[in-house]
């Protein structure tokens, strides 16, 4: 028996937020097999009851999916960036996000952004563990190519009802200055209180690395295509080491 789950999506405009768009997960042509998702029974059961309760409670009180910028212009007026050097644009981008809560600005090279988006269009799904309380839970990401945004939802929510799964973190990739300044501007939004700010930032960097790094991208390709070649336990072990190294570097 081989069942298929579909990650559905649709979008609608918000009348109260004209510069933002709302995305819910409804129907898409991309599919994930139930067999693959069932093999990821390593998620929240490894967390303490307290941590799981925090995530579940936050999901229940989260009334909507995602409010994110449709275009770079919706975040920052591009007129401010005209005539600026790459270093100046980077500084403006970082400073703009440092002054705001639950959002982070990330800078990549222009080619890195182009590569990430090209690969994400081909392989839109992946998983990212978040490690907490000596355990971890798993997020499922989907790339929406029409908006150049990754949406990360709780894997268990997706398995229960793909259409009702709501993003916890979003990652928008803007390549507007990839050719002229060799810059990609990335915005991470933590849109659910069940995810700590530091966790959202770290999981976003891990997600970007998965598509940017040639070796790591092999796991993404396996997850989307050759599912028998995707070793969940090995992948989680590697990610755990990365999280430890990143956290140690922040100390």
């Amino acid at each position: 028996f081989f069942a298929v789950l579909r990650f559905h999506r649709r979008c609608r405009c918000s009348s109260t937020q004209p510069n933002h768009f709302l995305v819910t997960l409804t129907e898409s042509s991309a599919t994930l097999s139930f067999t693959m998702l069932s093999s990821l029974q390593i998620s929240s059961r490894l967390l303490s009851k307290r941590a799981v309760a925090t995530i579940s409670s936050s999901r229940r009180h989260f009334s909507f999916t995602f409010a994110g910028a449709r275009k770079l212009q919706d975040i920052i007026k591009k007129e401010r960036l005209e005539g600026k050097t790459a270093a100046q644009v980077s500084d403006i981008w970082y400073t703009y996000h440092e002054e705001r809560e639950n959002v982070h600005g990330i800078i990549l090279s222009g080619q890195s952004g182009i590569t990430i988006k090209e690969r994400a269009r081909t392989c839109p799904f992946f998983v990212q563990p978040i490690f907490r309380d000596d355990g971890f839970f798993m997020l499922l990401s989907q790339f929406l190519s029409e908006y150049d945004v990754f949406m990360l939802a709780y894997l268990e929510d997706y398995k229960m009802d793909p259409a009702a799964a709501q993003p916890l973190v979003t990652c928008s990739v803007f390549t507007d200055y990839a050719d002229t300044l060799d810059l990609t501007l990335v915005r991470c939004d933590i849109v659910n209180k069940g995810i700590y700010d530091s966790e959202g930032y770290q999981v976003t960097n891990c997600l970007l690395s998965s598509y940017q790094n040639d070796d790591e991208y092999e796991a993404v390709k396996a997850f989307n295509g050759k599912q028998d070649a995707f070793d969940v336990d090995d992948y989680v072990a590697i990610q755990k080491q990365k999280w430890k190294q990143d956290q140690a570097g922040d100390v």
Side-chain angles (χ1 to χ4, degrees):
F1 177 76
F2 185 77
V4 173
L5 293 179
R6 297 181 182 274
F7 214 5
H8 301 290
R9 66 176 180 262
R10 65 183 169 85
C11 71
R12 59 188 176 87
C13 296
S14 168
S15 58
T16 59
Q17 293 180 309
N19 292 330
H20 292 73
F21 71 105
L22 303 181
V23 174
T24 53
L25 306 178
T26 55
E27 182 155 12
S28 165
S29 59
T31 61
L32 286 178
S33 74
F34 181 78
T35 303
M36 167 56 75
L37 294 179
S38 296
S39 70
L40 299 177
Q41 299 291 346
I42 50 178
S43 52
S44 59
R45 74 173 184 224
L46 298 182
L47 280 173
S48 68
K49 292 182 179 179
R50 177 172 59 83
V52 173
T54 299
I55 299 167
S56 299
S57 175
S58 296
R59 291 203 314 273
R60 285 196 298 270
H61 293 289
F62 188 50
S63 60
F64 182 76
T65 47
F66 167 54
R70 185 191 297 268
K71 298 178 181 179
L72 180 60
Q73 180 72 14
D74 296 333
I75 297 177
I76 188 169
K77 298 301 180 184
K78 296 178 72 172
E79 291 79 6
R80 290 183 56 189
L81 308 180
E82 290 182 0
K84 298 292 193 297
T85 65
Q88 290 172 326
V89 171
S90 297
D91 184 64
I92 291 172
W93 188 250
Y94 282 132
T95 301
Y96 177 87
H97 290 90
E98 287 172 355
E99 298 171 349
R100 288 160 174 78
E101 295 183 354
N102 302 317
V103 297
H104 293 275
I106 299 170
I107 298 289
L108 301 175
S109 70
Q111 186 55 53
S112 291
I114 292 172
T115 297
I116 288 170
K117 288 165 62 171
E118 288 177 348
R119 289 176 170 179
R121 292 187 188 103
T122 303
C123 299
F125 293 101
F126 201 42
V127 285
Q128 291 291 336
I130 289 183
F131 297 90
R132 188 193 297 177
D133 295 342
D134 298 324
F136 67 96
F137 57 97
M138 196 76 83
L139 301 187
L140 177 72
S141 66
Q142 181 189 12
F143 183 70
L144 304 183
S145 59
E146 58 266 54
Y147 303 115
D148 292 333
V149 61
F150 290 95
M151 304 176 73
L152 293 89
Y154 188 45
L155 175 63
E156 296 304 313
D157 281 353
Y158 178 85
K159 288 163 65 175
M160 288 188 292
D161 185 355
Q166 297 188 357
L168 308 180
V169 180
T170 66
C171 170
S172 302
V173 183
F174 302 105
T175 53
D176 302 51
Y177 299 102
D179 294 330
T180 56
L181 297 176
D182 190 29
L183 286 181
T184 295
L185 306 180
V186 179
R187 177 183 170 106
C188 161
D189 285 85
I190 296 91
V191 294
N192 187 288
K193 293 181 179 180
I195 301 294
Y196 300 142
D197 187 77
S198 59
E199 293 174 338
Y201 178 69
Q202 191 162 358
V203 78
T204 296
N205 278 302
C206 288
L207 173 65
L208 294 170
S209 179
S210 295
Y211 284 89
Q212 180 181 0
N213 183 283
D214 292 342
D215 292 335
E216 293 184 41
Y217 182 58
E218 291 301 314
V220 179
K221 289 195 296 184
F223 184 83
N224 283 268
K226 302 176 182 178
Q227 297 174 354
D228 292 340
F230 182 71
D231 189 325
V232 174
D233 294 331
D234 181 61
Y235 170 69
V236 170
I238 292 173
Q239 292 303 305
K240 185 174 183 179
Q241 289 301 314
K242 287 183 62 177
W243 274 67
K244 286 183 177 179
Q245 292 171 2
D246 291 344
Q247 290 171 347
D250 291 337
V251 175

